Amino acid sequence: MAGLATSFGSGAMSNSMDDVVENASAIFIIGSNTTEQHPVFGAMIRQAVLRRGVKLVVADPRRIDITEFATLHLRQRPGTDIPLLNGLMYIILEKGWEDREFIDNRTEGFEEFKATIEQYPPDKVSQITGVPVEKLYQAAEILACEKPMAVCWAMGITQHIVGVRNVMDLANLQMLTGNMGIPGGGVNPLRGQNNVQGACDMGGLPNVYPGYQNVTSAEARQKFEAAWGVSLPDQVGMTVTEMIPAAGEGKVKALYILGEDPVTSDPDSAHIRHCLDTCEFIVLQEIFPSETSAFADVLLPGVSFAEKTGTFTNTERRVQMVRQAIDPIGEARPDWQITAGLARRILAAGGRTVQPAPYAGWDYSSTAEILAEAAALTPSYAGISHARLERGERLQWPVPSPDHPGTPILHVGKFTRGKGRFMPIDHIPPAEMPDDEFPMLLSTGRVLYHWHGGTMTRRAQGLLEVYSQALVEINPMDAEHLGLNGNKRVRIRSRRGVIEAQAWVTDRVPPGMVFSNFHFPESSANELTIAALDPVAKIPEYKICAVKVEAV
Ligand SMILES: Nc1nc2c(c(=O)[nH]1)N[C@H]1C(S)=C(S)[C@@H](COP(=O)(O)OP(=O)(O)OC[C@H]3O[C@@H](n4cnc5c(=O)[nH]c(N)nc54)[C@H](O)[C@@H]3O)O[C@H]1N2
Ligand SMILES: Nc1nc2c(c(=O)[nH]1)N[C@H]1C(S)=C(S)[C@@H](COP(=O)(O)OP(=O)(O)OC[C@H]3O[C@@H](n4cnc5c(=O)[nH]c(N)nc54)[C@H](O)[C@@H]3O)O[C@H]1N2
Ligand SMILES: [Mo]
């Protein structure tokens, strides 16, 4: 997800949350359980529907809560987003609802793109996606004619082997309808972790330095070499989903893992355990014991958000202060102090040659100082400082200078790369689909009450009282077929592993599909998931694999 750099630059919401809910005439949510997983924005969207009558189109295989507020719910089959989007764009072109002026002045590649769209007439699309032709026409009319229209998506779009292609096709839709660079429109990936945006902005990706400056650019590399006093590699590194398998093959000898629980959160847990077993040396920096702790040679106690001062950057590119509320508990220390301390020891041990340079040496005294370094080296953060944030300024990057007010909407007037490029995108089916041996489709994700591996939320008594064990959503027709009466236990098996869990018999899922989460290690979906990766972003296809379900 993090690596989703399209022709529009980085993966970040182009518009603000306020802007979308105040100015959009229509909102298109595709592949996001917005009210459960983005509750603040989800509540804002509900209000926009109730107060302003915003037209809401939701495209999701499951009948998630936000569909109650939707003008239309398109219940496409999992893994058929490209045919769905291409089918909608076919209708938009057929009816002449496209934005000609935007296409002519702001884009290129339209003719080639159009030739692909022509391969997706409504009856064919209806067959592939399971969405009735009539609903396709209704949706296309709302999305093209209610302007401005904002599209919002999350992991239902990106966690596929076609994750990047899905995102590009959504960009196609927004260019075709002229909804880029305007209030109430845009392309809006809802970022998940509190600071995943900030981590990406600061270069926590294998291909870029802070501010999305390419590691393969000699100019960028020289700038950081001069700043840090070290020589830097000119090649793109590995993503997490490549590093751990590489550790399993002996190609990576040591792992330094911070705030990540790969045994629970990466696909195909049995394989992950094997890789971590094989890896020679593992350092884990955590705030709680996790399933990964058992594989660590050294545990370093970091601190939670409540014990540290610094900034998080949220889904709308807004940089926000977090202030320390309590002292670190026990021997725990702020993560940046631990990392800087490690780096200084490695330097002292002669592991790296360092030249005198403005930011060599890792001797920071505060996070304000770290942000100042980030500002000096990162054009989009150049005007951001603790001082401005302390004064209460609301800053959304790019903030190119200390007197710049920030940028709530991206791409106004022009795209980062000049003209926006239409990409012809064809359907590719998921890596593993149901067959005779594994006849049902498993999709995975989250519930409102828990957070990922649950190391934090399973320690909160109140949350456990509401949601105490993993529930697997299964359609009443399938439940009957399997001989489940009411709520019963199920065993779910895939080519990778097997789990047992409690069934929740519900028409939130269509027949043939089960939905399960990874919040409880004893019945984690990732024992079952497949490590098939998107070729560009290397994100796993968590949303689709084949399973066999039995009553226990
Ligand atoms: N309570 C809670 N909130 C969270 C988190 C948490 O663990 N707990 N995690 C945070 C993080 S890091 C993230 S990334 C976000 C994730 O936020 P979301 O992406 O909104 O949540 P998910 O549960 O991963 O699934 C998204 C939706 O994709 C749908 N879906 C499944 N298959 C397909 C498909 O083929 N096509 C389409 N279009 N949709 C499909 C599912 O039915 C589901 O409604 O949530 C964040 N918020
Ligand atoms: N099957 C399936 N698997 C998935 C997904 C899915 O939809 N389906 N979604 C994927 C996605 S989008 C994500 S983001 C990942 C999330 O997966 P992870 O990042 O592995 O999960 P988290 O629980 O968010 O965080 C990991 C650990 O960080 C620790 N931690 C929290 N705060 C701090 C801190 O300040 N400092 C330190 N050092 N540690 C801290 C927590 O105790 C926790 O154990 O899961 C992925 N895995
Ligand atoms: Mo995420």
Side-chain angles (χ1 to χ4, degrees):
M1 69 235 80
L4 276 187
T6 64
S7 56
F8 307 102
S10 57
M13 280 178 82
S14 63
N15 292 54
S16 303
M17 292 188 274
D18 279 342
D19 170 65
V20 168
V21 296
E22 278 161 24
N23 298 316
S25 285
I27 300 175
F28 183 27
I29 296 179
I30 180 163
S32 165
N33 185 355
T34 321
T35 37
E36 283 197 75
Q37 266 58 76
H38 312 270
V40 174
F41 193 36
M44 289 164 75
I45 292 174
R46 274 196 323 232
Q47 292 294 326
V49 171
L50 295 175
R51 297 225 176 108
R52 284 206 303 114
V54 170
K55 297 270 192 304
L56 176 64
V57 178
V58 177
D60 200 297
R62 290 163 67 223
R63 196 177 46 72
I64 48 174
D65 295 350
I66 191 90
T67 58
E68 281 173 40
F69 294 79
T71 317
L72 260 184
H73 177 200
L74 307 177
R75 217 170 171 179
Q76 78 275 36
R77 294 194 181 102
T80 65
D81 293 283
I82 291 166
L84 176 69
L85 294 169
N86 285 356
L88 294 172
M89 291 191 280
Y90 180 104
I91 295 170
I92 291 170
L93 286 169
E94 179 190 56
K95 294 282 188 180
W97 289 330
E98 74 273 21
D99 186 331
R100 264 288 138 207
E101 205 188 310
F102 187 94
I103 296 167
D104 292 344
N105 298 332
R106 300 274 308 272
T107 70
E108 57 193 26
F110 178 72
E111 289 308 321
E112 205 191 333
F113 156 78
K114 189 167 164 243
T116 301
I117 295 299
E118 278 161 6
Q119 308 305 309
Y120 292 85
D123 47 346
K124 176 175 161 190
V125 165
S126 179
Q127 256 175 28
I128 304 175
T129 61
V131 177
V133 169
E134 188 191 308
K135 278 203 166 184
L136 293 172
Y137 275 92
Q138 288 168 354
E141 181 164 8
I142 296 174
L143 298 179
C145 304
E146 294 284 339
K147 219 167 157 179
M149 181 274 284
V151 55
C152 301
W153 72 87
M155 296 301 115
I157 277 295
T158 51
Q159 289 175 342
H160 294 277
I161 56 165
V162 292
V164 169
R165 298 162 67 90
N166 280 346
V167 171
M168 286 177 168
D169 224 17
L170 286 169
N172 284 337
L173 174 69
Q174 291 308 72
M175 291 194 289
L176 187 69
T177 53
N179 275 305
M180 287 284 204
I182 55 170
V187 280
N188 300 291
L190 309 181
R191 308 301 306 258
Q193 304 263 14
N194 54 342
N195 195 37
V196 60
Q197 187 67 55
C200 294
D201 296 349
M202 288 303 110
L205 293 168
N207 58 337
V208 288
Y209 294 115
Y212 307 95
Q213 304 176 72
N214 284 319
V215 298
T216 50
S217 144
E219 197 191 331
R221 194 168 58 249
Q222 282 155 14
K223 171 172 139 182
F224 285 95
E225 286 180 338
W228 293 335
V230 290
S231 79
L232 295 165
D234 60 0
Q235 276 162 29
V236 171
M238 290 185 213
T239 63
V240 178
T241 48
E242 294 171 308
M243 281 177 207
I244 295 182
E249 291 164 23
K251 290 182 192 151
V252 165
K253 306 250 182 257
L255 289 167
Y256 175 24
I257 304 175
L258 297 88
E260 185 104 359
D261 179 13
V263 171
T264 322
S265 55
D266 279 7
D268 189 357
S269 310
H271 178 237
I272 301 295
R273 285 189 291 264
H274 161 77
C275 294
L276 296 183
D277 251 340
T278 311
C279 187
E280 284 176 26
F281 183 61
I282 299 178
V283 178
L284 179 66
Q285 190 163 314
E286 253 290 354
I287 59 170
F288 289 125
S290 71
E291 295 301 297
T292 303
S293 312
F295 296 87
D297 299 284
V298 178
L299 289 168
L300 298 174
V303 298
S304 71
F305 69 95
E307 301 156 278
K308 58 190 167 199
T309 294
T311 61
F312 292 152
T313 305
N314 78 358
T315 184
E316 54 178 11
R317 296 171 281 107
R318 190 189 301 282
V319 183
Q320 296 174 306
M321 280 297 295
V322 204
R323 293 176 188 81
Q324 184 179 338
I326 57 168
D327 285 333
I329 293 163
E331 291 172 47
R333 282 197 288 156
D335 290 287
W336 66 268
Q337 288 182 12
I338 300 175
T339 305
L342 262 177
R344 283 196 303 270
R345 282 178 173 79
I346 290 170
L347 293 179
R352 205 80 191 260
T353 318
V354 188
Q355 311 295 331
Y359 303 105
W362 288 85
D363 48 359
Y364 306 106
S365 61
S366 70
T367 49
E369 209 179 305
I370 298 175
L371 187 60
E373 175 180 331
L377 300 174
T378 314
S380 53
Y381 274 67
I384 304 179
S385 61
H386 274 210
R388 286 186 77 181
L389 297 170
E390 296 274 15
R391 280 201 296 272
E393 288 193 64
R394 289 160 64 87
L395 298 174
Q396 284 167 278
W397 65 255
V399 189
S401 63
D403 55 2
H404 190 282
T407 313
I409 306 176
L410 294 180
H411 316 306
V412 178
K414 76 177 182 44
F415 297 116
T416 321
R417 65 180 293 276
K419 290 204 163 183
R421 180 161 196 86
F422 278 107
M423 304 295 288
I425 308 280
D426 254 320
H427 178 44
I428 300 174
E432 184 184 76
M433 285 296 276
D435 54 21
D436 290 345
E437 204 184 341
F438 296 95
M440 294 193 71
L441 186 146
L442 170 76
S443 191
T444 70
R446 333 167 137 69
V447 303
L448 174 64
Y449 307 104
H450 286 281
W451 189 265
H452 303 148
T455 49
M456 296 177 284
T457 49
R458 280 186 289 104
R459 286 185 164 77
Q461 191 52 40
L463 295 175
L464 282 181
E465 276 163 21
V466 188
Y467 196 100
S468 62
Q469 60 173 322
L471 298 179
V472 175
E473 296 175 15
I474 181 165
N475 186 273
M477 277 169 64
D478 292 320
E480 197 188 316
H481 182 72
L482 295 173
L484 294 180
N485 311 309
N487 282 354
K488 280 278 173 66
R489 276 191 91 68
V490 285
R491 184 177 299 123
I492 312 180
R493 194 185 298 281
S494 79
R495 289 189 173 82
R496 273 80 45 199
V498 56
I499 61 168
E500 281 188 24
Q502 200 69 24
W504 175 17
V505 180
T506 168
D507 69 352
R508 276 166 71 93
V509 284
M513 175 180 182
V514 285
F515 178 82
S516 120
N517 63 59
F518 57 114
H519 303 314
F520 295 81
E522 63 277 13
S523 31
S524 166
N526 282 324
E527 300 289 344
L528 308 169
T529 48
I530 183 169
L533 305 183
D534 177 285
V536 180
K538 313 287 181 187
I539 188 170
E541 191 153 66
Y542 289 119
K543 293 294 182 254
I544 295 170
C545 74
V547 292
K548 183 177 172 65
V549 184
E550 300 158 319
V552 177

